Structure formats: C-alpha cells, structure tokens
Amino acid sequence: MKRRDFITLLGGAAAWPLAARAQQTMPVIGFLNSGSAGSRGEQFAAFDRGMGEAGYVDGQNVTIEYRWANDDYGRLHALAAELVRLPVEVLVAGGGPVSALAAKAATKTIPIVFTIAADPVKSGLVSSFHRPGGNITGTGGLTSELDAKRLELLHRLLPKASVIGVLVNPNRPAFEDELRELQAKAGDMKLKLVVQKAGAEGEIDAAIEALTRQKVGALLITADPFFNSRRAQVIAVVTLYAIPAIYQWREFAAAGGLMSYGPSIVAAYHQAGVYVGRILKGAKLSDLPVVRPTRFQLVINLKTAKTLGIEVPPTLLARADEVIE
C-alpha cells in the first residue's frame, strides 16, 4: 500500500467517528400533523424560515421527523407517542387543537409548540396566554371562534340569502358547542342554517351535494384542519355546484374560493419555527407566551365572484385586505 493511501485511510477512519458523533448529537424535532404529507403548503416553508432565523436548517444541523395522521384524528395519540419515544428535543403540533391535545397527552417534559389552535385556554391546552404553564406554548386563538364573523361577512355579501349551508367536521372536539354559538348568531341575523357533516374524504362531496338539494343560498365552510387538508377537493365540489362560499384561510380564496377571513396560517407556522429555534438555543418555555393573532385577512376572489354573477358591494371591497382579480 502506498503511504499516501495509508494516510488517507487513517484519516477517513479518524473522521468517521467524528461524523457519526456529530450526526448523533444533531437535535431532532418531532412534527405531528393531523393532515397528510400531500397537503403541505407554503406554511411549512414559513416554519423552516422561522427556525432559520436561529440558524437551524433541516438536514444540516437539525433533523425533522414528520408524522402524518392523514385526517384520521384517532391516530394522533399513537403518532405523538411514537415521536416521544424517538426521542425528540421539541414536539411541534400542527393541524389544529386535535394535534396539540394529543401531543400534550403524550409528554409532560418535552417542550411542545403548537402552530395554531382555537382558544387554547378554553380547550385546556394552556393555563393562560401570558403564562401557558407546563411544557407547551404556541400560537392560539381566533380560528373557529371567527366562524360567526364569517357568517356575518357572507350575509353582507349576499343579504338576500336567508338559508345558509354549514359544513362541519363531526370529529372535531367541541364542534357541537361551536355550532350552537353559530346557531345563536344566525338567529340574531334572522338566518336559517342547514348543517351537513363531513369527517372523511368520501363524505365531502355528498354533504355539499345535499346542501344544494336543500336550496341553500350560500355556504360556510367551518374552520377545521380536515377541510384545509382537503382544500382542493372542497373548492372543486363547491365550484361544481356554483355555491357562494366563505372559508377560513387565505389559501382557499387564492385557489379559487370566493372569500376567506381569518388570521394567517403562514404567520402562525413561522412563529412556531421561531419558537422552536429559541427553545433549541436554550430559551425557557416560561419566557415564551402564547402568541395571539393580531391581523385578520379578508380576501375576496373577484374573478370567482364574477363567474358566480355576484356583484361585491363597494363597502365590502373597500374593507378587503386583498382582492384577487
């Protein structure tokens, strides 16, 4: 063997354990999500950017282990437990309060960051926004709570529509309480709500078709990660039956939906990435309060409105944060 080859061999042998040790010490982030890998959108790039602000890049100095429930909320507890056993340095819960609750049940020691959840105090995730307590924090509030506001905006767009269809996911925790609140709001507005349930992919088409048979004048797609995961399917069916509809996230309107109102899911995921980076840098959870959204986007797709033959009132257009033409 030539001396140069021998030195190279020795160098490689010495370097291998160092590389192995570096790989072993690379922090692992667990990412639990109620949706499917195919539903990944811009928000995940925003999460990466948030971590990047602290110098962490997936595959370089941190590893992200994803677990997807594929819209089967019943799998979340087992998937959360699987991530805890790896183990992980931080557990991120995306896809609504169902994921966050499963993560919280799985560990009382690993830091948990939820991307966005309806009133985390009311659901029992945290003690308060300012002092979450325990091992959990994130971005929370004003998702399903805004369904009543969406109903109001839909009524302002279509004041003559007195019968409104509502699509709900019966697998969502506390959906019945949220529906009662929505019914009360509809009563104040002298509107009749017709409710259809869809908790699986195969139920969405049938539920929307049933609403058209009941002659609804407009449709409210309630806030739920399942409907966001099935965004393309929901919009396709709503478009097929030409029903004016309002949605939770801007991404629905950008994909052809008529109108959306809510906080930014992209901003929420970015904040989660920032918090993960700070935790990896040594920040204490007690120093990381739950962040509440402060900006809510009303997005109107004018092209879709014209296709449906709807003339959007100038006052509503003036209020819109974004108009898609």
Side-chain angles (χ1 to χ4, degrees):
M1 179 181 293
K2 293 181 180 179
R3 183 174 181 274
R4 183 175 58 189
D5 294 337
F6 179 71
I7 292 173
T8 302
L9 178 62
L10 283 178
W16 183 84
L18 290 174
R21 286 198 297 272
Q23 187 173 9
Q24 288 172 353
T25 57
M26 185 182 293
V28 178
I29 307 302
F31 205 126
L32 178 69
N33 197 286
S34 61
S36 61
S39 65
R40 289 182 60 158
E42 185 184 347
Q43 66 265 32
F44 287 89
F47 174 80
D48 291 341
R49 289 195 299 272
M51 281 204 315
E53 291 177 15
Y56 291 101
V57 179
D58 184 22
Q60 293 186 17
N61 56 358
V62 69
T63 298
I64 302 178
E65 285 282 346
Y66 290 94
R67 295 295 183 274
W68 306 91
N70 295 317
D71 304 314
D72 183 354
Y73 294 172
R75 298 181 58 210
L76 284 166
H77 286 276
L79 293 173
E82 182 181 324
L83 287 169
V84 168
R85 287 193 300 268
L86 283 179
V88 295
E89 297 290 328
V90 185
L91 181 54
V92 182
V98 284
S99 297
L101 289 167
K104 184 178 181 180
T107 177
K108 298 188 182 304
T109 56
I110 297 173
I112 299 169
V113 178
F114 51 86
T115 56
I116 194 161
D119 195 340
V121 176
K122 186 177 180 181
S123 65
L125 279 173
V126 299
S127 301
S128 71
F129 280 84
H130 186 60
R131 296 185 180 277
N135 61 319
I136 187 167
T137 189
T139 302
L142 300 176
T143 55
S144 59
E145 301 97 317
L146 290 175
D147 278 336
K149 183 64 178 180
R150 295 182 189 102
L151 181 64
E152 179 187 326
L153 290 168
L154 198 57
H155 182 57
R156 288 185 60 184
L157 176 66
L158 300 163
K160 293 183 179 179
S162 59
V163 181
I164 308 296
V166 180
L167 187 67
V168 300
N169 179 6
N171 300 322
R172 179 183 178 87
F175 92 93
E176 291 178 334
D177 293 337
E178 294 168 356
L179 188 56
R180 276 193 290 270
E181 293 174 6
L182 193 61
Q183 291 277 16
K185 179 68 174 180
D188 294 340
M189 299 169 64
K190 304 294 189 291
L191 298 175
K192 177 185 176 182
L193 299 187
V194 179
V195 179
Q196 284 290 334
K197 300 174 183 178
E201 179 183 3
E203 297 173 353
I204 292 175
D205 294 33
I208 295 175
E209 182 184 5
L211 288 170
T212 63
R213 291 198 304 269
Q214 296 175 78
K215 307 297 184 184
V216 298
L219 173 60
L220 168 62
I221 307 293
T222 57
D224 191 87
F226 168 61
F227 298 135
N228 188 42
S229 176
R230 298 293 171 182
R231 186 189 313 145
Q233 179 186 359
V234 171
I235 292 175
V237 181
V238 169
T239 302
L240 176 65
Y241 291 105
I243 311 173
I246 189 167
Y247 308 87
Q248 175 184 13
W249 303 118
R250 174 197 175 276
E251 286 71 16
F252 279 93
L258 174 61
M259 185 164 60
S260 67
Y261 181 75
S264 168
I265 191 173
V266 171
Y269 271 66
H270 176 266
Q271 181 62 49
V274 169
Y275 267 10
V276 168
R278 290 181 63 182
I279 291 168
L280 292 177
K281 288 288 187 182
K284 297 179 181 179
L285 277 176
S286 57
D287 296 330
L288 303 176
V290 175
V291 177
R292 292 194 238 202
T294 56
R295 182 168 178 257
F296 305 95
Q297 302 171 305
L298 172 60
V299 183
I300 299 174
N301 190 317
L302 209 54
K303 181 179 179 180
T304 300
K306 290 177 180 177
T307 301
L308 292 169
I310 296 172
E311 185 173 343
V312 181
T315 53
L316 200 57
L317 276 177
R319 184 176 174 181
D321 297 277
E322 182 181 357
V323 176
I324 300 172
E325 300 187 66

